[in-house]
Amino acid sequence: MDNPEQELNFHELELDDRLLKDIARLGWISPTLVQEKAIPFLLEGKDVLIRARTGSGKTAAFAIPIIQSILSRKGESANRETSVLVMAPSQDLCHQITKVFAELTSSCGALVRVVDLSSKEDRATHRHLLSERPDIIVSTPAKLRTVLTDGTLNVRESLRCVTIDEADLMFSFGFEKDLREVLTHFPPVHQSVLCSATLEEDVESLKKLILHNPVVLKLEEPDLVIGSQLTHYQVEVEEVDKAVVLYTLLKLKLIQGKCIIFVKSVERCYRLKLFLEQFNIRSCILNSELPIKIRCHAVSQFNQGIYDTIIASDELMTDNPERVSKKKAKKVSTKKLLQQSSEAESSVSRGIDFQCVSCVINFDFPSDINSYIHRAGRTARGKNNGSVLSLVANDEVERKREVEEFLQGLAADEGFTMKDFQFNFNEVEAFRYRAKDAWRAITKFSIREARIKELKAEMFNSEKLKSFFEENPRDLQTLRHDRSLHTVRVQEHLGDVPDYLVPPSLRSIVAFTNTRRNKKSSTDWRTARFQRKRASKAENPLLMDGMDYGKKRRV
């Protein structure tokens, strides 16, 4: 389908006023291409297979008609029943979908209820949540199979719509058995929706299994944004020099805005964080080992701009779940502590909505073209610009060529090429010595200690203080995920970059950036001090104005 000649607005889609109010509150004026094409078919009750690239608005494309259908039925009957099931391959994606539904129903009061079953609550909690018969249930196939099999949930008479997001992951990700079992509990007649970024063999199998005479929306748009909105760069370096390049880029502020750094494993994730920590470069970690609430909270704070750099591990679970699980099973000593779920988890590059990301850095080049597409899809979302920088080692050159050929095929008319990032090692030779010493200082023992230390801290914060954070949401907002781990000796002088180390061509830029940063830090400190003082006075009106609450400066 080509782009329409004239853009529609949401109010032209004949939606409920309450739904339109929430759409306007989110700042959405006109639907995206996939939303404009899918919503009318879904409102008619047709089965639909939606194929659209990441970041195109697929979640809202199925959420809006679902809510509209429920509101229409509620006008006719006040009975509460579970009429919609939404399945996704990971807890992170389930939480994200639930959040979208919550935002789009905030004006509906208690009329539309949404429940997320993907979290690891016990059966008693699930039984309590489902006893109130929520209108919409969001879950992974494994959790849904559990509540359907033990009779906690029965949808044979009430189910009207089933939606499967990231459908291309379901079979390849090991959910085939769960899906086939879940389908036996559905009524013979219901609406089905599949959403996928690709139309591979697994999606075709799932299509035959769940869809009946579907409308297939295969939008005529490239898998990635092309043109000036998304720029691709590469640097061919030795493996040992990757850390040098990253350290130089971050320390000299050559990368501005929010940044996601992708690595190939959880171990590399912690190694890179410990490396940056030695130079006083703050970063946070995102991987499948961390508790789901902490992962969602970290993404939320990143989207709010509380911190700017995330190191994400893009594990190969989607390629071969059995191989990864067997490999992890060998680590018996830390398995009990590090394992968080018996279910498979999708990689960070899939589905998670990172907002306003200006740059994606492939510290480890992705394993295939699809992985590159999904990593690059974290930036240049909507109408924002973005860039992708890939650090390519000798053994990764062949994979890079395959990706480059694919990208050239997307924009053959424009003569697209992956640009070379101009990086002169001769000008940063002093940085090379610093970076290599810092990289060698990180041992397997320090990585293991860092993993255990952070996991223990996050488990304590998320479980032991759960009730406290519910009563004190302000304290939850102050929880930061980019704190130093301190399992490697940090030399204070490495946090500063003397002028003589800065290349002559960059000294004016670095000096200007440091001036702005120092000015902003001073302002942030004064603002934070004022806010703490005002909050304390609100809790205790008798507090004297002259009392100083800023003795410890936190920049």
Side-chain angles (χ1 to χ4, degrees), residues 252-270:
L252 296 183
K253 302 296 180 181
L254 299 180
I255 293 178
Q256 299 292 326
K258 293 195 288 188
C259 172
I260 302 178
I261 305 172
F262 279 105
V263 294
K264 61 184 178 182
S265 66
V266 176
E267 181 178 346
R268 295 271 283 185
C269 203
Y270 283 92

Side-chain angles (χ1 to χ4, degrees), residues 423-490:
F423 193 90
N424 191 344
F425 278 99
N426 294 329
E427 292 188 356
V428 292
E429 193 63 31
F431 286 80
R432 186 199 295 263
Y433 289 115
R434 282 187 166 200
K436 287 189 174 181
D437 287 343
W439 190 260
R440 284 194 295 264
I442 305 169
T443 63
K444 290 185 177 181
F445 177 78
S446 63
I447 293 174
R448 188 188 68 176
E449 291 299 308
R451 293 171 71 172
I452 295 175
K453 180 178 180 180
E454 177 155 306
L455 194 56
K456 281 183 176 179
E458 300 298 13
M459 290 174 64
F460 176 78
N461 288 331
S462 62
E463 299 296 334
K464 300 296 183 181
L465 297 181
K466 180 179 178 181
S467 59
F468 173 80
F469 284 139
E470 290 176 353
E471 297 175 0
N472 302 273
R474 183 183 300 172
D475 292 335
L476 179 61
Q477 295 304 317
T478 63
L479 177 64
R480 295 289 295 263
H481 304 279
D482 57 347
R483 293 192 177 97
S484 299
L485 294 174
H486 298 302
T487 60
V488 176
R489 180 173 174 267
V490 177

